[in-house]
Amino acid sequence: MSESSLLVLEGVSRSFGGLKAVQNVSLAVREGSLSALIGPNGAGKTTLFALMSGFLKPDAGSVRFAGQDITGREPHRNAALGMTRTFQIVKPFAAQTVRENIAVGAHLHLHGRTEALREAEAVAQRVGLAPQLDKPASDLTVAGRKRLELARALATRPRLLLLDEVLAGLNPQEIAEMMPVVRGIAASGVTVLMIEHVMQAVMNLAEHVWVLAQGQLIAEGSPAQVTSDDRVVEAYLGHGTAARLRKAATGATA
C-alpha cells in the first residue's frame, strides 16, 4: 500500500449470523483524494463504513488510519484522530438551532461555547447554511438537513470525511447545488470517501471508485472504467445484462 494512503483496509470481513456482509475487503484511500464506494442496495457499503469508523468491529482483517492501527477502536477516538462520518438517515437535534447543532461537532476540539458557536458560523458558510443559522433544525428541508449533517461532520475538523449518501432524497437541482459543496470540501484538503447511488455525482466528483457487491469488491478504477465493467453492469442490472446491452448496441449500429 502506498505511503500516501490515509486509510488502509486489509482483508476486512464481518458476518451477521450466516450473512457475510463484508468479505475480505482490502483498499487504500489516498490522502487528499475524492473517491467513491458504490454498489447495489444490500452490497455492504454502510457496513464497511461502520467497520472503517469503529461503529462495528471486524471479524477479521485490519483498519489503519494515519499510520495507526485503529481496528475496532471506538468512533469518538477515531473522530479525535481525524476520521468523521455522516449518516444516511439524518437526525439533527430538532429543538436546537442550526448554529447549535453545528457547534456540537466543534466541541470535539473546542471546549468553550463561544468558540464553538463561532466555529459553527464559519462551517455554515462553507456548506451554504449561513442564512439559516438561527433557524430551528426542525424547520429545515431535506436538503437543508443534509447540509446540516455535513456541517456537523466538518465542524470536527476531519482529515477524512466518510459521506454516506449525502445526496439521497434530493431532487436534481438540489443535487447540482450540493456537488460543488462536496468538491469544495475536498479542495480544502479534506480527504473524502463517499457512498453514493447518484451516478451523475460519482462521474463528476470521484477520482477513484470501488464497487462492492454481495460484500465483496468486484471492481475499482476511474468512474468511466468501473461503469463499463461487465461485472459492475451485472451487479446492478442482473446476470447476462452486459451481453444483452452489447448485442443491442451492435444491432443499433449495424
Side-chain angles (χ1 to χ4, degrees):
M1 298 292 181
S2 168
E3 288 183 5
S4 64
S5 297
L6 183 59
L7 177 70
V8 178
L9 275 62
E10 293 187 345
V12 170
S13 299
R14 175 68 192 232
S15 296
F16 300 98
L19 174 65
K20 295 180 178 178
V22 172
Q23 301 179 60
N24 194 33
V25 170
S26 297
L27 58 81
V29 179
R30 183 177 57 81
E31 185 156 23
S33 63
L34 172 48
S35 50
L37 177 65
I38 68 171
N41 288 330
K45 303 182 297 296
T46 294
T47 299
L48 189 58
F49 259 26
L51 292 166
M52 292 175 181
S53 53
F55 285 88
L56 287 174
K57 187 173 183 178
D59 298 327
S62 66
V63 181
R64 295 186 65 81
F65 176 69
Q68 295 188 34
D69 187 340
I70 62 164
T71 310
R73 182 184 286 180
E74 299 92 335
H76 69 274
R77 295 177 62 198
N78 293 333
L81 193 61
M83 184 197 302
T84 305
R85 66 166 293 188
T86 67
F87 291 86
Q88 185 177 343
I89 299 173
V90 181
K91 294 181 178 179
F93 299 106
Q96 293 186 327
T97 65
V98 169
R99 189 192 308 268
E100 290 166 335
N101 266 269
I102 301 172
V104 171
H107 276 297
L108 181 67
H109 296 287
L110 300 171
H111 300 297
R113 176 176 169 80
T114 301
E115 289 177 288
L117 291 172
R118 190 180 302 121
E119 178 93 352
E121 190 167 338
V123 172
Q125 293 277 1
R126 295 175 65 183
V127 303
L129 278 177
Q132 304 185 75
L133 274 165
D134 297 314
K135 178 184 288 190
S138 57
D139 288 354
L140 292 176
T141 62
V142 171
R145 291 185 181 203
K146 289 285 186 176
R147 288 176 187 255
L148 178 56
E149 178 79 352
L150 186 54
R152 288 197 301 187
L154 271 181
T156 68
R157 301 179 182 175
R159 289 182 65 184
L160 172 64
L161 185 56
L162 304 175
L163 299 180
D164 193 349
E165 294 198 44
V166 74
L167 303 177
L170 304 186
N171 64 40
Q173 180 179 338
E174 290 166 340
I175 290 170
E177 291 169 350
M178 183 69 97
M179 283 168 52
V181 175
V182 175
R183 190 179 289 114
I185 291 167
S188 74
V190 178
T191 304
V192 177
L193 174 60
M194 56 193 301
I195 291 175
E196 197 48 70
H197 281 291
V198 180
M199 292 309 297
Q200 170 201 359
V202 173
M203 296 295 287
N204 280 279
L205 292 173
E207 306 158 21
H208 192 86
V209 181
W210 290 272
V211 186
L212 201 64
Q214 297 180 325
Q216 296 179 299
L217 281 181
I218 61 168
E220 69 170 287
S222 70
Q225 287 171 329
V226 299
T227 52
S228 61
D229 189 308
D230 285 359
R231 294 167 299 177
V232 178
V233 173
E234 300 205 344
Y236 275 96
L237 301 177
H239 182 68
T241 303
R244 289 194 296 273
L245 289 172
R246 276 198 304 274
K247 185 176 180 181
T250 302
T253 56

